[in-house]
Amino acid sequence: MPELPEVEYIARSLDARLPGQTVCDVVVRWERTLATHDPTSFRSALCGLTFQSVGRRGKFLLLELPPYWLLIHLRMTGRLYYCPAPQPDWEQNRHVHLILSLDRDARLYLHDIRKFGRAYLTFDPQEVVGNLGIEPLSPELTPERLAQELRSRRRQLKPLLLDQRVLAGLGNIYVDEALWAASIHPLTRSHTLTDAQIAELHENLRRILRDAIAHGGTTLRDYRGPCDETGQHQFSLAVYGRAGTPCRRCGTLIERTVVAQRGTHYCPVCQPVPTEGEETLDEPQTDS
DNA sequence: ACACCCTCCTGGAGGC
DNA sequence: TGCCTCCAGGAGGGTG
């Protein structure tokens, strides 16, 4: 499932290929892929436009096609595949829902087994990504800013970190990895973290995201880069998908549980369950 | 404010 | 071998 590192890798790869290319034709095979248009208006809006740049915001790909922006969210199983010539296998693939024909017969395919991915065509990207929180790798995300985001809420840490309105781009894999690296239990209440824990979380979160980008992302099953390449970060995972295997730090078997309807992987020794005492101490006031 | 559940989807895995 | 059921989960919506 593409999260920040995978989307960042895809954006960089496409930014080296798409700028200067003009859209010659558009084929929509699954209408609901289009979040903002019907196939006819989508096609007539895009045809003749030229790519200017490709970037990322959270888990959204931002494809600049003046005067429009084409925003793509890959959700669970979405893939973008670029090739300099039409590929019969891809043209006929039943999971290809969108095909852009470019200059010199190049192709950009949107492939999505579960059909959750969405494409948004807009003049103003803020209409789509305006509610996203801070970028985890931005210089603005200092330990102090992270502390402010965490302490202004009283939520379980895992669902908070997954909330795109707070931090933009984190998904299930990297949240589990970051919490393990910082030795924090996923159910810990956000306002109970110490300065030291927040510093650990800040540092490890950013390190893991940078490593994963450098590794071309994590390929567990479906993820591929725009040239069909797999990522390599799956070999560096400490907890995600490792239930029943030894913790890389202490040797205890990694456990899997469910938090906020999401599979959650952690080390029961390195990430001890937060004690109830902290919370009751912190909120002694009761309703009257 | 926050937790919880449902919906969208399909392929893969497990049970028998 | 084959059929059936369950499960994974990002995001948005509704409910309590």
Side-chain angles (χ1 to χ4, degrees), chain A residues 172-190:
Chain A
N172 211 29
I173 296 174
Y174 296 107
V175 166
D176 280 4
E177 292 297 311
L179 289 174
W180 176 83
S183 300
I184 302 171
H185 192 279
L187 286 177
T188 310
R189 292 280 166 177
S190 59

Side-chain angles (χ1 to χ4, degrees), chain A residues 92-207:
Chain A
Q92 292 152 26
N93 190 299
R94 59 188 288 250
H95 301 305
V96 169
H97 308 311
L98 185 59
I99 306 174
L100 301 191
S101 299
L102 310 174
D103 293 339
R104 292 178 296 280
D105 231 14
R107 291 286 191 277
L108 186 64
Y109 300 103
L110 175 63
H111 176 279
D112 188 359
I113 291 174
R114 291 190 201 165
K115 297 179 172 173
F116 286 173
R118 291 291 178 268
Y120 307 74
L121 189 60
T122 177
F123 291 115
D124 177 12
Q126 284 304 110
E127 289 182 357
V128 180
V129 297
N131 289 329
L132 293 182
I134 190 167
E135 282 290 328
L137 291 177
S138 149
E140 292 166 41
L141 187 70
T142 58
E144 293 74 26
R145 174 67 188 272
L146 181 60
Q148 181 189 322
E149 297 290 346
L150 297 178
R151 288 176 178 155
S152 63
R153 301 171 174 90
R154 302 183 157 227
R155 296 174 60 184
Q156 298 168 347
L157 207 42
K158 170 134 184 177
L160 178 54
L161 294 175
L162 286 172
D163 190 334
Q164 302 299 298
R165 296 168 299 185
V166 179
L167 287 171
L170 301 181
N172 211 29
I173 296 174
Y174 296 107
V175 166
D176 280 4
E177 292 297 311
L179 289 174
W180 176 83
S183 300
I184 302 171
H185 192 279
L187 286 177
T188 310
R189 292 280 166 177
S190 59
H191 64 287
T192 67
L193 290 184
T194 63
D195 285 345
Q197 285 178 308
I198 290 172
E200 281 289 305
L201 182 59
H202 177 266
E203 181 185 333
N204 283 289
L205 182 58
R206 288 159 59 102
R207 176 184 55 78

Side-chain angles (χ1 to χ4, degrees), chain A residues 39-75:
Chain A
T40 305
S41 60
F42 185 77
R43 181 174 184 274
S44 58
L46 273 186
C47 283
L49 302 185
T50 301
F51 284 100
Q52 185 91 30
S53 71
V54 181
R56 177 192 64 77
R57 176 78 172 97
K59 299 175 196 169
F60 285 85
L61 282 162
L62 276 58
L63 297 95
E64 187 181 9
L65 279 154
Y68 283 100
W69 290 81
L70 177 61
L71 274 58
I72 296 178
H73 196 306
L74 298 170
R75 296 282 182 98

